[in-house]
Amino acid sequence: MAQAFNANGSGILPDRSILALTKASHVRPSAPYVEGQVQPASLDLRLGPVAYRVRASFLPGPQASVEKRIEALRLHAVDLTGNGAVLETGCVYIVPLMESLALPADISATANPKSSTGRLDVFTRVIADRSRGFDQVAAGYEGPLYAEISPRTFPVLVRQGSRLSQIRFRRGETALDAVQLRALHARERLVDADDADLTHGVAVGVDLSGNFAGGLIGYRAKRHTGLIDVDLRGGYDVGDFWEPMSARSDNSLILDPNEFYILASKEAVQVPPDHAAEMVPFDPLVGEFRVHYAGFFDPGFGYAGAGGRGARAVLEVRSREVPFILEHGQIVGRLIYEKMMARPDTLYGQGIGSNYQAQGLKLSKHFRS
């Protein structure tokens, strides 16, 4: 019988509470955690030993398990042990994860791709049994977790233990309301804009001026490249995979359909130690593009006390069916701030090997600076 998990109050669970959940068998890893897997406000999820290529993406629905749906839709199995295997672009794979759950009745969870996963245009979502939505785990859920993986631009080499997704645990109402957000911004200056838009979260615009990166505004992914090993840091030349883009005289950018771009926010943002944040789309009705696959911002991101000076939000942008013009400063997303149940023992960037503290325009950790 699982030991009871004791914690008071509402909020996002910090690192030590994630470890307490694990000790109490509410989080059940099939192997001990590796270094860096427990983050300040989230847990990295590891791929298991096999991937199943399936005909199509799916949700199991309230009456079915993911395993049953895999049996009906699988094309073949891919061994991820040893040296791993290549996941091809345009294909959908389902991978059982090494972490399963037996959550308390008052703890729910949400998942998101890791930053490095989103910056490779690897579409990744977490699925739980009997679920009606991706990346959502209901309070009290007991069962396995699975990752749906679909590389969009680059083929990727993955293996058992690769970490593409992360999960956050929460109790109760965690999001700040408008009054709380304004008060927090007054104390901490969450964004370096005198006219900050705090309606339904902190508004984030796109930088197309090039003023912060020597005239560079972003990168467009090349097609027909080599593969990328998701566990290899600093192993690839930028020019083999990306085309740099310089600022135009009118500070605009035309997004071409089905192309993938890395851009940066106009504003520098920060997340104070007692809070976490998540980037959400601004409004799907204002443009034919998708922004920011990987949305979690940990406590201490961009925070001066954790080695930051404010940090640009890197934006993963993909246009849809038609060309679309982005203008400098156009709002493309909003940061929703949530309170932590307690301050984490370690903040983002504070001696834990965080890859993107005080970042500007930055590709994923796989590319050489």
Side-chain angles (χ1 to χ4, degrees):
M1 182 175 178
Q3 173 187 344
F5 169 71
N6 295 315
N8 297 318
S10 61
I12 301 292
L13 273 62
D15 42 16
R16 62 183 175 277
S17 296
I18 294 172
L19 292 172
L21 279 180
T22 306
K23 186 176 181 180
S25 295
H26 296 306
V27 182
R28 299 171 174 175
S30 61
Y33 292 147
V34 298
E35 183 179 359
Q37 188 175 348
V38 179
Q39 295 290 311
S42 61
L43 173 69
D44 290 352
L45 300 172
R46 295 171 293 180
L47 302 184
V50 62
Y52 299 99
R53 185 179 169 195
V54 293
R55 285 184 287 156
S57 174
F58 64 85
L59 281 168
Q63 305 300 322
S65 68
V66 177
E67 183 178 23
K68 288 292 186 184
R69 299 291 285 149
I70 291 174
E71 290 176 6
L73 294 170
R74 63 179 282 181
L75 298 175
H76 60 265
V78 180
D79 182 10
L80 300 185
T81 60
N83 294 325
V86 175
L87 305 185
E88 301 288 352
T89 58
C91 300
V92 180
Y93 303 86
I94 306 295
V95 184
L97 296 170
M98 294 175 63
E99 287 74 31
S100 60
L101 301 177
L103 293 177
D106 60 347
I107 300 291
S108 63
T110 56
N112 234 308
K114 288 176 60 65
S115 294
S116 297
T117 307
R119 295 184 201 193
L120 292 178
D121 199 20
V122 178
F123 195 51
T124 304
R125 302 184 287 195
V126 169
I127 317 174
D129 285 343
R130 302 175 300 280
S131 59
R132 297 174 186 240
F134 295 107
D135 291 332
Q136 305 294 319
V137 184
Y141 173 77
E142 182 170 358
L145 297 174
Y146 300 80
E148 176 191 291
I149 305 170
S150 181
R152 304 296 302 277
T153 296
F154 311 121
V156 293
L157 175 64
V158 302
R159 55 188 60 79
Q160 182 178 8
S162 294
R163 293 140 61 184
L164 303 184
S165 302
Q166 54 193 345
I167 192 167
R168 270 185 182 168
F169 303 94
R170 56 173 50 80
R171 170 185 279 155
E173 293 297 322
T174 61
L176 303 190
D177 61 26
V179 173
Q180 293 169 324
L181 184 64
R182 285 195 295 270
L184 181 63
H185 179 62
R187 294 196 309 269
E188 299 282 6
R189 192 170 170 82
L190 302 176
V191 57
D192 67 341
D194 294 330
D195 58 345
D197 181 349
L198 304 181
T199 308
H200 307 301
V202 175
V204 174
V206 62
D207 173 46
L208 298 178
S209 70
N211 292 337
F212 302 108
L216 193 68
I217 61 168
Y219 298 89
R220 178 167 52 195
K222 292 183 176 180
R223 294 182 176 273
H224 313 298
T225 67
L227 63 84
I228 293 176
D229 184 336
V230 299
D231 298 320
L232 182 59
R233 182 178 303 204
Y236 303 98
D237 289 329
V238 171
D240 291 338
F241 294 85
W242 300 95
E243 296 175 359
M245 299 182 301
S246 298
R248 293 164 47 101
S249 58
D250 62 356
N251 288 352
S252 70
L253 173 66
I254 298 177
L255 301 176
D256 291 323
N258 299 315
E259 297 291 335
F260 182 67
Y261 302 84
I262 296 292
L263 305 173
S265 67
K266 173 176 172 283
E267 302 83 5
V269 301
Q270 67 161 326
V271 182
D274 295 315
H275 293 81
E278 181 176 359
M279 178 79 80
V280 297
F282 168 51
D283 185 345
L285 300 179
V286 301
E288 292 296 323
F289 58 91
R290 173 188 170 91
V291 175
H292 220 278
Y293 294 14
F296 287 165
F297 289 70
D298 272 346
F301 177 85
Y303 191 71
R309 301 179 300 278
R312 309 284 157 181
V314 168
L315 308 170
E316 302 109 17
V317 180
R318 175 176 283 279
S319 186
R320 296 192 177 118
E321 286 80 7
V322 299
F324 187 83
I325 298 178
L326 280 183
E327 307 286 350
H328 176 66
Q330 182 171 341
I331 296 175
V332 293
R334 290 188 181 273
L335 275 175
I336 303 300
Y337 281 76
E338 300 178 85
K339 64 181 179 179
M340 297 291 298
M341 184 180 291
R343 182 175 293 204
D345 288 339
T346 306
L347 299 178
Y348 186 91
Q350 198 175 61
I352 59 172
S354 303
N355 294 293
Y356 307 117
Q357 183 66 300
Q359 70 181 355
L361 175 66
K362 186 175 176 63
L363 296 171
S364 72
K365 63 186 179 184
H366 307 92
F367 301 97
R368 301 184 186 101
S369 299

